[in-house]
Amino acid sequence: MKNKKLIIIILSSLALTACSGDKKKPNKNEDVESIHQQLLTIDTHVDISPDYTFKEMFDPGQKTLMQVDLDKMDQGGLDAAFFIVYVAQTQRTTENYAIAKAQAQRKFDSIHRMTDSLYHEKIRLAEHPEDVIKLNKAGYKVAIIGIENGYVIGKDLTLVENYYNQGARYMTLAHNGHNDICDSAQPNEKLGDVTIEHHGVSEFGKQVISEMNRVGMMVDVSHVSDECMMQSLTLSKAPVIASHSSVRALTDSPRNMTDEMMKALADANGVMQLVALSAYLKIDPERSVAIKSLRKSVAEKYQAIKYNYELHSHKPEYIAGMKIIDKKYPLATVQDYVDHIDYAVKIMGVNHVGIASDFDGGGGIMGWKDASETMNITKELLRRGYSVQDIEKIWGANLLRVWEDVDNVAKSLKNAM
Ligand SMILES: [Zn+2]
């Protein structure tokens, strides 16, 4: 479809002149657009509803209220996304492990429905980094699968390979609340969590990481405790990713990463995908309180026992309430977001930084409120003087490099057997 290499070379020289303040600075929208369209853009965290592809309002081929659907990906020039098999942490009981497994399966099935049948002519599943490049060149959108919360395997190590065979290429070790693998950055008091349960990665967690290395699944350290994150770097035989985390020095949240963690991740040749979720980019306690109370009232209205963001974020009351909140307590902006990218590049170097929206899971900022506005990130990076080569790395090449390393480690482990 497009001769990417050649185009990149041409664009790279364009960007170099842009940085030197030449008249050709790509500040015009057409220039930015032509650069953006040639980049391979990968968003490493897009959540999906449990009803994804099963109900019309969650049908990615329709015009939807979701932040990511096929039309919005087209409009915004978003080429590839990790669609997320997320399961909420609950009490660790045999019954709940089975429920979590069933919930995960439904999401795997829904992503496969999208790529294998419903929209096979538009979007296809990538199983290896080279597939992403090939599919993109052939004109397809690319879906990749990530798991959020290692809780989906319960205590069954064989499920790692089972999920890998269904397409999962990263697994976030924990989510909100500790699990059997490791401690969370945000222990869940309602589940009876103590502040620290495992002091990082548990004995079972060590086996899980080693199994992930064996099959070729990226270890994701977003959402986990600082101790778990640092231990994962030494436990994993392959580089590690943070699929959606921002900078703690700029926004003090346990979900964000310290300079020390960022340096260690870069030293281990990993990649940090900065997350465009307002609360992790800009501290605004009043906004957080307002959102919490809105979520509670919507959940009560629909008589849900437990708040389920994935389902309720599409209710009219929620959408109307969020409009009011956004007006009163403005979201972080693309500038705030790129401040986090700048900081990460300064600490880690440009080879270790990437992009994640967390769309349909709480993400979205002013200027990048859904996939249709994806170009605004490229625009801001260009405005700040990043070269096209660097923007290409940030938009996906770094992530693909890490993924390739993970694949190679898996191959060498298989050969050693
Ligand atoms: Zn998350």
Side-chain angles (χ1 to χ4, degrees), residues 245-251 256 259 262 272 274-276 280-282 332-348 353-355 365-366 376-377 380-381 383-384 386 394:
S245 292
S246 287
V247 173
R248 203 178 296 175
L250 299 181
T251 310
N256 286 343
D259 291 8
M262 288 158 63
M272 174 186 188
L274 283 293
V275 63
Y280 304 143
L281 300 174
K282 190 178 94 169
T333 62
V334 164
Q335 287 72 33
D336 294 324
Y337 179 63
V338 180
D339 285 349
H340 280 251
I341 292 183
D342 278 348
Y343 190 95
V345 168
K346 203 175 75 195
I347 297 290
M348 309 173 82
V353 174
I355 291 175
I365 51 178
M366 271 208 290
N376 287 341
I377 303 297
E380 182 62 14
L381 289 167
R383 196 185 69 78
R384 295 195 189 196
Y386 283 87
I394 294 171

Side-chain angles (χ1 to χ4, degrees), residues 184-370:
S184 166
Q186 294 170 302
N188 190 333
E189 280 173 34
K190 284 184 197 143
L191 297 177
D193 282 356
V194 288
T195 313
I196 295 166
E197 179 178 330
H198 305 292
H199 275 284
V201 181
S202 71
E203 283 309 310
F204 175 65
K206 289 176 188 168
Q207 292 178 300
V208 173
I209 290 175
S210 146
E211 179 65 359
M212 289 171 78
N213 287 159
R214 188 186 72 81
V215 301
M217 196 186 285
M218 290 182 275
V219 172
D220 175 22
V221 294
S222 285
H223 280 288
V224 305
S225 73
D226 293 7
E227 269 181 301
C228 171
M229 185 270 165
M230 293 300 263
Q231 289 170 15
S232 302
L233 293 180
T234 41
L235 288 166
S236 176
K237 294 177 200 83
V240 158
I241 68 164
S243 71
H244 61 305
S245 292
S246 287
V247 173
R248 203 178 296 175
L250 299 181
T251 310
D252 189 11
S253 160
R255 268 286 284 112
N256 286 343
M257 292 173 60
T258 65
D259 291 8
E260 186 198 359
M261 288 157 76
M262 288 158 63
K263 278 179 196 152
L265 182 63
D267 286 346
N269 216 14
V271 64
M272 174 186 188
Q273 306 286 116
L274 283 293
V275 63
L277 192 147
S278 196
Y280 304 143
L281 300 174
K282 190 178 94 169
I283 294 282
D284 188 347
E286 284 174 305
R287 182 182 161 87
S288 305
V289 169
I291 292 175
K292 226 178 201 173
S293 106
L294 172 67
R295 288 179 174 187
K296 198 168 163 240
S297 74
V298 174
E300 274 163 13
K301 175 160 183 235
Y302 290 93
Q303 295 173 332
I305 303 155
K306 200 166 69 66
Y307 179 78
N308 186 341
Y309 174 82
E310 299 156 293
L311 288 173
H312 294 157
S313 60
H314 294 83
K315 301 283 191 253
E317 295 81 359
Y318 186 86
I319 292 162
M322 278 309 294
K323 269 193 183 148
I324 295 166
I325 291 172
D326 285 348
K327 223 174 182 177
K328 212 168 167 191
Y329 313 107
L331 283 164
T333 62
V334 164
Q335 287 72 33
D336 294 324
Y337 179 63
V338 180
D339 285 349
H340 280 251
I341 292 183
D342 278 348
Y343 190 95
V345 168
K346 203 175 75 195
I347 297 290
M348 309 173 82
V350 76
N351 295 335
H352 303 283
V353 174
I355 291 175
S357 65
D358 211 350
F359 282 148
D360 296 310
I365 51 178
M366 271 208 290
W368 197 28
K369 65 174 189 315
D370 63 41

Side-chain angles (χ1 to χ4, degrees), residues 31-252:
D31 296 341
V32 175
E33 194 172 346
S34 77
I35 291 173
H36 181 71
Q37 288 302 337
Q38 301 312 322
L39 298 165
L40 170 52
T41 52
I42 306 175
D43 177 345
T44 50
H45 204 89
V46 171
D47 275 289
I48 56 169
S49 158
D51 288 331
Y52 194 66
T53 73
F54 291 106
K55 284 193 179 160
E56 201 179 341
M57 69 188 298
F58 299 112
D59 179 343
Q62 306 281 331
K63 285 199 189 305
T64 68
L65 291 174
M66 292 189 290
Q67 288 170 297
V68 180
D69 55 34
L70 295 173
D71 190 47
K72 291 190 184 90
M73 287 179 82
D74 268 339
Q75 281 178 48
L78 178 62
D79 299 316
F82 279 77
F83 291 87
I84 301 304
V85 172
Y86 157 74
V87 168
Q89 189 60 46
T90 53
Q91 294 280 359
R92 282 170 264 163
T93 63
T94 312
E95 194 190 16
N96 283 347
Y97 291 137
I99 293 170
K101 188 178 165 188
Q103 288 172 336
Q105 194 54 54
R106 184 170 166 90
K107 288 191 174 178
F108 274 110
D109 293 347
S110 70
I111 299 166
H112 280 279
R113 267 165 64 81
M114 170 173 76
T115 57
D116 305 350
S117 58
L118 291 176
Y119 301 108
H120 190 62
E121 290 317 309
K122 278 222 81 165
I123 184 163
R124 297 208 174 167
L125 190 74
E127 296 185 328
H128 296 285
E130 55 272 24
D131 300 343
V132 179
I133 294 164
K134 270 186 219 152
L135 289 169
N136 178 246
K137 271 191 186 150
Y140 296 105
K141 296 280 169 211
V142 184
I144 313 149
I145 301 179
I147 293 174
E148 185 170 34
N149 200 359
Y151 186 48
V152 295
I153 68 164
K155 288 185 170 175
D156 184 357
L157 210 52
T158 66
L159 281 177
V160 173
E161 188 163 21
N162 175 321
Y163 292 142
Y164 178 87
N165 289 337
Q166 296 192 60
R169 290 301 179 266
Y170 78 65
M171 183 163 82
T172 317
L173 297 178
H175 191 254
N176 296 340
H178 306 319
N179 63 20
D180 296 306
I181 298 170
C182 74
D183 291 334
S184 166
Q186 294 170 302
N188 190 333
E189 280 173 34
K190 284 184 197 143
L191 297 177
D193 282 356
V194 288
T195 313
I196 295 166
E197 179 178 330
H198 305 292
H199 275 284
V201 181
S202 71
E203 283 309 310
F204 175 65
K206 289 176 188 168
Q207 292 178 300
V208 173
I209 290 175
S210 146
E211 179 65 359
M212 289 171 78
N213 287 159
R214 188 186 72 81
V215 301
M217 196 186 285
M218 290 182 275
V219 172
D220 175 22
V221 294
S222 285
H223 280 288
V224 305
S225 73
D226 293 7
E227 269 181 301
C228 171
M229 185 270 165
M230 293 300 263
Q231 289 170 15
S232 302
L233 293 180
T234 41
L235 288 166
S236 176
K237 294 177 200 83
V240 158
I241 68 164
S243 71
H244 61 305
S245 292
S246 287
V247 173
R248 203 178 296 175
L250 299 181
T251 310
D252 189 11

